[in-house]
Amino acid sequence: MIGRYTRPEMGAIWSMHNKFSIWKEIEVLACEAQAELGASGITKEEAAWIREHADFTVERIDEIEKVTNHDVIAFTTNMAEHIDADIEQGAEPPSRWVHYGMTSSDLGDTALSYQITQAIDIIIADVKQLGETCKRRAFEFQNTLCVGRTHGIHAEPMTFGMKFGSWAWALKRALTRMEEARAVAACGAISGAVGTYSSIDPFVEEYVCEKLGLVPDPLSTQVLARDRHAQVMAALAVTASTLESIAMQVRLLQQSDVIEAEEPFTKGQKGSSAMPHKRNPITAERVCGLARVVKSNAQVAFDDVALWYERDISHSGAERVALADSFIALDYMFGKMQWMLDGLQTYPAKMEHNLWRTRGLIFSSKVLLALVDTGISREDAYVIVQRNAMKVWEDIQNAVDGPTYRENLEADPEVNLAKEVLDEIFDPWDFLTRKDVVFDRLQKLEF
């Protein structure tokens, strides 16, 4: 991922230095496990020497790989240079025990699992922070009237806090998915060329995995099955879709014809190079755009699941790009969404103004039920309600001043509803007598 969309902590996890640092730790742990096992010949003193002297430089690894065309061999070669640097000429080199009985995927896949857990932990923290923000702001707007919209058309009254509340619940589901994906990904394998432990004792795998907080794969071939990674990428993609959905709502709310809310516009910010009046939802749009990257990368992970026999490397290059880019992009998206929703500018007066823009049409469902209560069939009541509504609709669409929906109903001889009944029907709060049910549920939500 380009630097523009990379936050330092997440970027560091996917750096080459961090990857090789994990590789080094796995190789050292494997040596210590072999020494403790006492079966291969390595002594605890040699394992301690390897622990103390093992090192690498990314530049030297790159230099060696240009010759070997093999990143693991380049790494172990460079690590051996450091381990054996102070060994007397002719003495047995301690580095001979590094990578003993292991194959490249034992190292690479176990390290990748550890990287994924590091990265997921950051995403989990991101989800919790944004979820708590949405919950807090939901109660801030618990009693702020606004119009609900279905198909983009005014529907019935609701409160603005319900929007934040629905986002909080979506993030709770995202948290569950990420925690489940972490459990699936936290798996290591040091089982040899085709998973038979032909040259390495399973104790080494158990020892290394325990030290890294991983669980040994019950049956690896040469690689960890990529359905694990696909589940991780699917969780990232669904979470990105959730952020995209929220950002889309912000974009819609910020439209000039709506303008009930807008993302922060900071001091000195410029909205357009040509039109100085503009305040564009650029952050929300950026989130929506990056969501496309994360979602498309999930398909890469699905395609990586099918490998030839016990292993090929068709997945390798693709996942090196897709995993890092998805984690980095999603973490960046969370940073922007936190900034946006924590500082979201809201305009309650405009919300109430918009509520009445359709001159009372949003109360049609209540009118329908009231007419049915008088003994009229639902079909006949629907005709009466719609007939009067369409008169107002036509006036609105043609920018014609005309009677409100209530005034049309009061003039209709077929509408036999008392003034007190109409007063109740045309009170937006009458729709919200049970709204506290959802806020009581939200109160119990924990991240």
Side-chain angles (χ1 to χ4, degrees):
M1 180 56 63
I2 63 175
R4 180 181 179 90
Y5 303 132
T6 303
R7 296 206 288 179
E9 187 180 5
M10 183 63 83
I13 288 174
W14 296 102
S15 69
M16 296 303 292
H17 187 273
N18 185 56
K19 180 175 109 170
F20 291 138
S21 293
I22 299 169
W23 282 16
K24 182 185 80 169
E25 182 63 15
I26 290 172
E27 293 287 3
V28 171
L29 286 172
C31 289
E32 292 171 344
Q34 294 278 20
E36 188 167 323
L37 187 63
S40 64
I42 181 175
T43 66
K44 291 185 177 180
E45 290 74 21
E46 287 176 307
W49 177 277
I50 291 170
R51 164 71 68 183
E52 183 178 352
H53 292 84
D55 208 350
F56 66 89
T57 66
V58 175
E59 295 76 17
R60 177 59 179 151
I61 293 169
D62 288 344
E63 181 181 310
I64 298 170
E65 189 180 359
K66 289 176 182 177
V67 177
T68 63
N69 199 27
H70 196 292
D71 57 351
V72 173
I73 293 175
F75 169 77
T76 55
T77 300
N78 180 220
M79 193 163 151
E81 291 173 342
H82 288 273
I83 293 170
D84 299 338
D86 297 328
I87 299 298
E88 293 182 8
Q89 187 74 23
E92 293 183 335
S95 67
R96 71 190 189 280
W97 301 115
V98 173
H99 209 66
Y100 186 87
M102 294 169 59
T103 189
S104 297
S105 292
D106 290 335
L107 177 62
D109 277 13
T110 302
L112 180 59
S113 293
Y114 188 73
Q115 271 184 294
I116 290 172
T117 61
Q118 288 181 313
I120 288 183
D121 285 342
I122 291 178
I123 298 297
I124 286 174
D126 289 340
V127 174
K128 289 179 177 179
Q129 183 185 25
L130 189 60
E132 288 167 351
T133 296
C134 287
K135 178 181 176 180
R136 171 176 55 80
R137 300 219 72 185
F139 286 99
E140 182 181 340
F141 297 101
Q142 181 176 359
N143 296 308
T144 301
L145 272 176
C146 69
V147 68
R149 297 173 174 89
T150 59
H151 304 275
I153 308 300
H154 286 202
E156 291 184 354
M158 59 181 290
T159 74
F160 198 76
M162 293 175 67
K163 292 183 182 292
F164 276 107
S166 70
W167 301 340
W169 282 111
L171 289 164
K172 178 63 174 180
R173 294 189 293 276
L175 177 60
T176 300
R177 291 187 196 98
M178 296 311 305
E179 289 173 340
E180 290 173 349
R182 190 194 192 283
V184 169
C187 182
I190 300 179
S191 57
V194 291
T196 61
Y197 303 96
S198 59
S199 301
I200 196 163
D201 194 285
F203 172 79
V204 177
E205 179 182 71
E206 294 167 4
Y207 182 94
V208 173
C209 286
E210 181 181 1
K211 294 294 184 181
L212 295 177
L214 305 177
V215 176
D217 191 309
L219 199 165
S220 55
T221 53
Q222 188 188 96
V223 293
L224 293 171
R226 258 46 193 177
D227 63 275
R228 297 179 183 276
H229 304 77
Q231 183 168 343
V232 170
M233 293 288 276
L236 296 178
V238 176
T239 303
S241 297
T242 293
L243 298 190
E244 179 185 21
S245 175
I246 299 171
M248 182 78 76
Q249 286 238 32
V250 173
R251 292 169 61 189
L252 291 168
L253 290 167
Q254 191 165 334
Q255 286 182 298
S256 298
D257 297 330
V258 179
I259 197 59
E260 293 180 359
E262 64 177 341
E263 64 181 54
F265 194 83
T266 57
K267 184 177 180 181
Q269 183 174 339
K270 310 298 182 186
S272 166
S273 62
M275 296 168 283
H277 73 280
K278 297 292 290 296
R279 288 166 63 131
N280 301 326
I282 57 169
T283 305
E285 290 171 343
R286 191 180 308 158
V287 168
C288 289
L290 287 174
R292 299 169 189 169
V293 175
V294 181
K295 290 185 295 183
S296 64
N297 282 346
Q299 183 62 53
V300 174
F302 299 151
D303 291 341
D304 283 347
V305 174
L307 304 178
W308 282 22
Y309 298 109
E310 281 61 57
R311 182 225 184 181
D312 65 53
I313 63 166
S314 60
H315 64 287
S316 179
E319 71 186 13
R320 290 184 196 215
V321 175
L323 274 166
D325 278 5
S326 291
F327 272 109
I328 292 171
L330 186 59
D331 175 56
Y332 174 85
M333 290 163 64
F334 266 108
K336 290 302 178 183
M337 291 301 295
Q338 177 62 33
W339 171 82
M340 185 194 311
L341 296 184
D342 190 44
L344 189 71
Q345 302 297 301
T346 58
Y347 305 109
K350 187 60 187 291
M351 294 177 197
E352 186 161 1
H353 170 79
N354 285 342
L355 185 77
W356 295 100
R357 280 183 66 185
T358 54
R359 304 177 191 174
L361 292 182
I362 60 174
F363 302 100
S364 68
S365 61
K366 291 286 188 180
V367 177
L368 176 64
L369 295 180
L371 288 176
V372 170
D373 288 341
T374 66
I376 303 175
S377 73
R378 182 180 177 86
E379 290 72 21
D380 290 342
Y382 196 100
V383 170
I384 295 170
V385 172
Q386 187 181 47
R387 181 179 68 227
N388 285 283
M390 290 304 102
K391 293 177 184 177
V392 179
W393 185 276
E394 189 172 321
D395 285 345
I396 293 171
Q397 299 310 101
N398 290 286
V400 174
D401 289 333
T404 64
Y405 184 46
R406 177 170 179 169
E407 289 169 342
N408 277 350
L409 292 171
E410 289 172 332
D412 191 325
E414 292 189 73
V415 177
N416 187 25
L417 297 174
K419 178 182 180 302
E420 309 82 64
V421 175
L422 289 171
D423 286 344
E424 184 176 327
I425 288 173
F426 283 85
D427 177 4
W429 288 105
D430 189 58
F431 285 87
L432 300 168
T433 56
R434 300 187 183 96
K435 71 174 178 60
D436 289 341
V437 171
V438 298
F439 286 97
D440 289 344
R441 295 170 183 162
L442 186 63
Q443 189 68 63
K444 299 173 185 176
L445 177 60
E446 294 182 356
F447 286 94

Short mmCIF file of all heavy atoms in Angstrom, two decimals, residues 123-124 126-135 164-178 238-240 242-243 246 330 334 337-338 341 445-447:
data_model
loop_
_atom_site.label_atom_id
_atom_site.label_comp_id
_atom_site.label_asym_id
_atom_site.label_seq_id
_atom_site.Cartn_x
_atom_site.Cartn_y
_atom_site.Cartn_z
N ILE A 123 -6.74 -4.05 14.07
CA ILE A 123 -8.08 -3.86 13.52
C ILE A 123 -9.13 -4.02 14.61
O ILE A 123 -10.11 -3.26 14.67
CB ILE A 123 -8.35 -4.84 12.36
CG1 ILE A 123 -7.36 -4.59 11.20
CG2 ILE A 123 -9.79 -4.72 11.88
CD1 ILE A 123 -7.49 -3.24 10.54
N ILE A 124 -8.95 -4.99 15.48
CA ILE A 124 -9.90 -5.20 16.59
C ILE A 124 -9.97 -3.95 17.46
O ILE A 124 -11.06 -3.51 17.86
CB ILE A 124 -9.51 -6.44 17.41
CG1 ILE A 124 -9.87 -7.72 16.63
CG2 ILE A 124 -10.20 -6.45 18.77
CD1 ILE A 124 -9.40 -9.00 17.28
N ASP A 126 -9.30 -0.94 16.45
CA ASP A 126 -9.98 0.06 15.61
C ASP A 126 -11.49 -0.10 15.70
O ASP A 126 -12.23 0.88 15.84
CB ASP A 126 -9.55 -0.11 14.14
CG ASP A 126 -8.13 0.32 13.86
OD1 ASP A 126 -7.57 1.09 14.66
OD2 ASP A 126 -7.57 -0.12 12.83
N VAL A 127 -11.96 -1.34 15.57
CA VAL A 127 -13.40 -1.62 15.59
C VAL A 127 -14.00 -1.19 16.92
O VAL A 127 -15.05 -0.54 16.98
CB VAL A 127 -13.68 -3.11 15.34
CG1 VAL A 127 -15.16 -3.41 15.51
CG2 VAL A 127 -13.22 -3.52 13.95
N LYS A 128 -13.34 -1.54 18.01
CA LYS A 128 -13.85 -1.20 19.34
C LYS A 128 -13.95 0.31 19.53
O LYS A 128 -14.94 0.83 20.04
CB LYS A 128 -12.95 -1.80 20.43
CG LYS A 128 -13.06 -3.32 20.54
CD LYS A 128 -12.13 -3.84 21.63
CE LYS A 128 -12.28 -5.35 21.81
NZ LYS A 128 -11.36 -5.87 22.86
N GLN A 129 -12.92 1.02 19.10
CA GLN A 129 -12.92 2.48 19.27
C GLN A 129 -14.06 3.12 18.49
O GLN A 129 -14.80 3.97 19.02
CB GLN A 129 -11.58 3.06 18.82
CG GLN A 129 -11.49 4.58 19.03
CD GLN A 129 -10.20 5.17 18.49
OE1 GLN A 129 -9.58 4.62 17.58
NE2 GLN A 129 -9.78 6.30 19.04
N LEU A 130 -14.21 2.73 17.23
CA LEU A 130 -15.26 3.33 16.41
C LEU A 130 -16.64 2.91 16.90
O LEU A 130 -17.59 3.71 16.89
CB LEU A 130 -15.08 2.94 14.94
CG LEU A 130 -15.98 3.69 13.95
CD1 LEU A 130 -15.72 5.19 14.01
CD2 LEU A 130 -15.76 3.17 12.53
N GLY A 131 -16.77 1.66 17.34
CA GLY A 131 -18.04 1.20 17.87
C GLY A 131 -18.47 1.98 19.10
O GLY A 131 -19.64 2.36 19.24
N GLU A 132 -17.53 2.23 19.99
CA GLU A 132 -17.84 3.00 21.19
C GLU A 132 -18.22 4.44 20.84
O GLU A 132 -19.10 5.03 21.48
CB GLU A 132 -16.64 2.97 22.14
CG GLU A 132 -16.46 1.60 22.80
CD GLU A 132 -15.11 1.46 23.49
OE1 GLU A 132 -14.26 2.36 23.32
OE2 GLU A 132 -14.90 0.43 24.18
N THR A 133 -17.57 4.99 19.83
CA THR A 133 -17.91 6.35 19.38
C THR A 133 -19.34 6.39 18.84
O THR A 133 -20.10 7.31 19.15
CB THR A 133 -16.92 6.82 18.30
OG1 THR A 133 -15.61 6.91 18.85
CG2 THR A 133 -17.33 8.18 17.72
N CYS A 134 -19.69 5.40 18.04
CA CYS A 134 -21.05 5.36 17.47
C CYS A 134 -22.09 5.19 18.58
O CYS A 134 -23.15 5.83 18.54
CB CYS A 134 -21.16 4.23 16.45
SG CYS A 134 -20.31 4.56 14.90
N LYS A 135 -21.81 4.34 19.55
CA LYS A 135 -22.75 4.15 20.65
C LYS A 135 -22.93 5.45 21.43
O LYS A 135 -24.06 5.86 21.74
CB LYS A 135 -22.25 3.05 21.58
CG LYS A 135 -23.16 2.82 22.78
CD LYS A 135 -22.63 1.72 23.70
CE LYS A 135 -23.49 1.59 24.94
NZ LYS A 135 -23.01 0.53 25.86
N PHE A 164 -26.64 6.25 14.22
CA PHE A 164 -25.41 5.90 14.94
C PHE A 164 -25.55 4.54 15.62
O PHE A 164 -24.61 3.75 15.67
CB PHE A 164 -25.08 6.97 15.98
CG PHE A 164 -24.32 8.15 15.43
CD1 PHE A 164 -24.94 9.37 15.27
CD2 PHE A 164 -22.98 8.03 15.08
CE1 PHE A 164 -24.25 10.47 14.77
CE2 PHE A 164 -22.28 9.12 14.58
CZ PHE A 164 -22.91 10.34 14.43
N GLY A 165 -26.74 4.28 16.15
CA GLY A 165 -26.97 3.00 16.83
C GLY A 165 -26.85 1.82 15.88
O GLY A 165 -26.25 0.80 16.22
N SER A 166 -27.40 1.96 14.69
CA SER A 166 -27.30 0.86 13.72
C SER A 166 -25.85 0.64 13.30
O SER A 166 -25.42 -0.50 13.08
CB SER A 166 -28.17 1.15 12.49
OG SER A 166 -27.65 2.22 11.73
N TRP A 167 -25.08 1.72 13.21
CA TRP A 167 -23.67 1.58 12.88
C TRP A 167 -22.92 0.88 14.01
O TRP A 167 -22.02 0.06 13.76
CB TRP A 167 -23.05 2.95 12.61
CG TRP A 167 -23.70 3.70 11.49
CD1 TRP A 167 -24.47 3.17 10.49
CD2 TRP A 167 -23.68 5.11 11.25
NE1 TRP A 167 -24.91 4.16 9.64
CE2 TRP A 167 -24.45 5.37 10.08
CE3 TRP A 167 -23.08 6.19 11.90
CZ2 TRP A 167 -24.61 6.65 9.56
CZ3 TRP A 167 -23.25 7.48 11.40
CH2 TRP A 167 -24.01 7.70 10.24
N ALA A 168 -23.28 1.18 15.25
CA ALA A 168 -22.63 0.52 16.39
C ALA A 168 -22.86 -0.98 16.36
O ALA A 168 -21.94 -1.78 16.57
CB ALA A 168 -23.16 1.11 17.70
N TRP A 169 -24.11 -1.39 16.06
CA TRP A 169 -24.40 -2.82 16.00
C TRP A 169 -23.65 -3.49 14.84
O TRP A 169 -23.19 -4.64 14.97
CB TRP A 169 -25.90 -3.06 15.86
CG TRP A 169 -26.66 -2.91 17.15
CD1 TRP A 169 -27.54 -1.93 17.49
CD2 TRP A 169 -26.58 -3.79 18.28
NE1 TRP A 169 -28.02 -2.14 18.76
CE2 TRP A 169 -27.45 -3.27 19.27
CE3 TRP A 169 -25.87 -4.95 18.56
CZ2 TRP A 169 -27.62 -3.88 20.51
CZ3 TRP A 169 -26.03 -5.56 19.80
CH2 TRP A 169 -26.90 -5.02 20.75
N ALA A 170 -23.53 -2.81 13.72
CA ALA A 170 -22.79 -3.36 12.59
C ALA A 170 -21.33 -3.58 12.96
O ALA A 170 -20.70 -4.58 12.57
CB ALA A 170 -22.91 -2.44 11.38
N LEU A 171 -20.78 -2.64 13.72
CA LEU A 171 -19.38 -2.76 14.15
C LEU A 171 -19.22 -3.87 15.18
O LEU A 171 -18.16 -4.52 15.24
CB LEU A 171 -18.89 -1.42 14.69
CG LEU A 171 -18.71 -0.35 13.59
CD1 LEU A 171 -18.61 1.04 14.20
CD2 LEU A 171 -17.46 -0.66 12.75
N LYS A 172 -20.24 -4.09 15.99
CA LYS A 172 -20.19 -5.22 16.92
C LYS A 172 -20.10 -6.54 16.14
O LYS A 172 -19.35 -7.45 16.51
CB LYS A 172 -21.43 -5.21 17.82
CG LYS A 172 -21.49 -6.38 18.80
CD LYS A 172 -20.34 -6.37 19.79
CE LYS A 172 -20.50 -7.46 20.84
NZ LYS A 172 -19.40 -7.47 21.82
N ARG A 173 -20.87 -6.64 15.08
CA ARG A 173 -20.79 -7.85 14.25
C ARG A 173 -19.41 -7.96 13.59
O ARG A 173 -18.86 -9.06 13.45
CB ARG A 173 -21.90 -7.84 13.20
CG ARG A 173 -23.30 -7.95 13.79
CD ARG A 173 -24.36 -8.17 12.72
NE ARG A 173 -24.53 -7.03 11.84
CZ ARG A 173 -25.31 -5.98 12.10
NH1 ARG A 173 -25.99 -5.90 13.24
NH2 ARG A 173 -25.42 -4.99 11.22
N ALA A 174 -18.86 -6.83 13.19
CA ALA A 174 -17.51 -6.83 12.61
C ALA A 174 -16.50 -7.32 13.63
O ALA A 174 -15.57 -8.08 13.30
CB ALA A 174 -17.14 -5.43 12.13
N LEU A 175 -16.68 -6.91 14.89
CA LEU A 175 -15.77 -7.35 15.96
C LEU A 175 -15.82 -8.87 16.11
O LEU A 175 -14.78 -9.52 16.23
CB LEU A 175 -16.16 -6.66 17.26
CG LEU A 175 -15.35 -7.05 18.50
CD1 LEU A 175 -13.87 -6.74 18.32
CD2 LEU A 175 -15.89 -6.34 19.74
N THR A 176 -17.02 -9.41 16.10
CA THR A 176 -17.18 -10.86 16.22
C THR A 176 -16.46 -11.57 15.08
O THR A 176 -15.75 -12.57 15.28
CB THR A 176 -18.67 -11.24 16.23
OG1 THR A 176 -19.30 -10.61 17.35
CG2 THR A 176 -18.84 -12.75 16.33
N ARG A 177 -16.64 -11.06 13.86
CA ARG A 177 -15.99 -11.68 12.70
C ARG A 177 -14.47 -11.62 12.81
O ARG A 177 -13.77 -12.60 12.49
CB ARG A 177 -16.43 -10.99 11.40
CG ARG A 177 -17.88 -11.21 11.03
CD ARG A 177 -18.19 -10.65 9.65
NE ARG A 177 -19.63 -10.53 9.48
CZ ARG A 177 -20.31 -9.40 9.65
NH1 ARG A 177 -19.67 -8.28 9.96
NH2 ARG A 177 -21.62 -9.37 9.48
N MET A 178 -13.95 -10.48 13.25
CA MET A 178 -12.51 -10.34 13.34
C MET A 178 -11.93 -11.25 14.42
O MET A 178 -10.85 -11.83 14.23
CB MET A 178 -12.12 -8.88 13.62
CG MET A 178 -12.48 -7.89 12.52
SD MET A 178 -11.99 -8.36 10.84
CE MET A 178 -10.25 -8.66 11.04
N VAL A 238 -15.83 -7.72 4.58
CA VAL A 238 -17.14 -7.38 5.13
C VAL A 238 -17.04 -6.14 6.01
O VAL A 238 -17.90 -5.26 5.99
CB VAL A 238 -17.73 -8.56 5.92
CG1 VAL A 238 -19.06 -8.16 6.58
CG2 VAL A 238 -17.95 -9.76 5.02
N THR A 239 -15.97 -6.05 6.78
CA THR A 239 -15.76 -4.87 7.63
C THR A 239 -15.58 -3.62 6.77
O THR A 239 -16.13 -2.56 7.09
CB THR A 239 -14.54 -5.08 8.54
OG1 THR A 239 -14.74 -6.26 9.33
CG2 THR A 239 -14.35 -3.89 9.47
N ALA A 240 -14.84 -3.75 5.69
CA ALA A 240 -14.68 -2.62 4.76
C ALA A 240 -16.02 -2.22 4.18
O ALA A 240 -16.31 -1.02 4.00
CB ALA A 240 -13.70 -2.98 3.65
N THR A 242 -18.88 -2.50 5.66
CA THR A 242 -19.59 -1.78 6.72
C THR A 242 -19.16 -0.32 6.77
O THR A 242 -19.99 0.59 6.84
CB THR A 242 -19.34 -2.46 8.08
OG1 THR A 242 -19.94 -3.76 8.08
CG2 THR A 242 -19.94 -1.64 9.22
N LEU A 243 -17.86 -0.09 6.71
CA LEU A 243 -17.37 1.29 6.71
C LEU A 243 -17.82 2.03 5.46
O LEU A 243 -18.16 3.23 5.52
CB LEU A 243 -15.84 1.31 6.81
CG LEU A 243 -15.22 0.70 8.07
CD1 LEU A 243 -13.72 1.01 8.13
CD2 LEU A 243 -15.90 1.22 9.33
N ILE A 246 -21.43 3.16 5.99
CA ILE A 246 -21.52 4.34 6.86
C ILE A 246 -21.07 5.58 6.10
O ILE A 246 -21.73 6.63 6.14
CB ILE A 246 -20.67 4.14 8.13
CG1 ILE A 246 -21.17 2.94 8.92
CG2 ILE A 246 -20.70 5.41 8.99
CD1 ILE A 246 -20.26 2.54 10.08
N LEU A 330 -7.57 -1.00 5.39
CA LEU A 330 -8.68 -1.01 6.34
C LEU A 330 -8.34 -0.23 7.60
O LEU A 330 -9.17 0.50 8.14
CB LEU A 330 -9.06 -2.45 6.69
CG LEU A 330 -10.31 -2.61 7.56
CD1 LEU A 330 -11.55 -1.99 6.90
CD2 LEU A 330 -10.56 -4.07 7.88
N PHE A 334 -10.33 3.03 9.02
CA PHE A 334 -10.83 3.19 10.39
C PHE A 334 -10.36 4.51 10.99
O PHE A 334 -11.12 5.19 11.69
CB PHE A 334 -10.38 2.03 11.27
CG PHE A 334 -11.38 0.91 11.35
CD1 PHE A 334 -11.15 -0.29 10.71
CD2 PHE A 334 -12.55 1.07 12.07
CE1 PHE A 334 -12.08 -1.32 10.78
CE2 PHE A 334 -13.49 0.05 12.14
CZ PHE A 334 -13.25 -1.15 11.49
N MET A 337 -12.56 7.14 9.49
CA MET A 337 -13.95 7.05 9.97
C MET A 337 -14.05 7.52 11.42
O MET A 337 -15.04 8.15 11.81
CB MET A 337 -14.46 5.62 9.84
CG MET A 337 -14.67 5.15 8.41
SD MET A 337 -15.85 6.16 7.47
CE MET A 337 -17.36 5.85 8.37
N GLN A 338 -13.04 7.22 12.22
CA GLN A 338 -13.05 7.69 13.62
C GLN A 338 -13.04 9.21 13.66
O GLN A 338 -13.80 9.84 14.40
CB GLN A 338 -11.84 7.12 14.36
CG GLN A 338 -11.69 7.60 15.80
CD GLN A 338 -12.85 7.20 16.68
OE1 GLN A 338 -13.45 6.15 16.50
NE2 GLN A 338 -13.19 8.06 17.63
N LEU A 341 -16.64 10.44 12.21
CA LEU A 341 -17.84 10.25 13.02
C LEU A 341 -17.74 10.90 14.38
O LEU A 341 -18.73 11.38 14.93
CB LEU A 341 -18.14 8.75 13.16
CG LEU A 341 -18.47 8.02 11.86
CD1 LEU A 341 -18.84 6.57 12.13
CD2 LEU A 341 -19.58 8.72 11.08
N LEU A 445 -25.01 -2.89 24.80
CA LEU A 445 -23.97 -3.26 23.84
C LEU A 445 -22.59 -2.94 24.39
O LEU A 445 -22.34 -1.84 24.88
CB LEU A 445 -24.19 -2.51 22.53
CG LEU A 445 -23.15 -2.71 21.41
CD1 LEU A 445 -23.10 -4.18 20.99
CD2 LEU A 445 -23.45 -1.83 20.23
N GLU A 446 -21.69 -3.91 24.33
CA GLU A 446 -20.32 -3.72 24.83
C GLU A 446 -19.31 -4.10 23.76
O GLU A 446 -19.51 -5.04 23.00
CB GLU A 446 -20.09 -4.57 26.08
CG GLU A 446 -20.94 -4.16 27.29
CD GLU A 446 -20.63 -4.99 28.51
OE1 GLU A 446 -19.82 -5.94 28.40
OE2 GLU A 446 -21.21 -4.70 29.58
N PHE A 447 -18.23 -3.34 23.74
CA PHE A 447 -17.14 -3.62 22.80
C PHE A 447 -15.90 -4.07 23.58
O PHE A 447 -15.72 -3.73 24.72
CB PHE A 447 -16.81 -2.38 21.98
CG PHE A 447 -17.84 -2.08 20.93
CD1 PHE A 447 -18.88 -1.21 21.17
CD2 PHE A 447 -17.78 -2.70 19.69
CE1 PHE A 447 -19.83 -0.94 20.21
CE2 PHE A 447 -18.70 -2.44 18.72
CZ PHE A 447 -19.76 -1.56 18.97
#
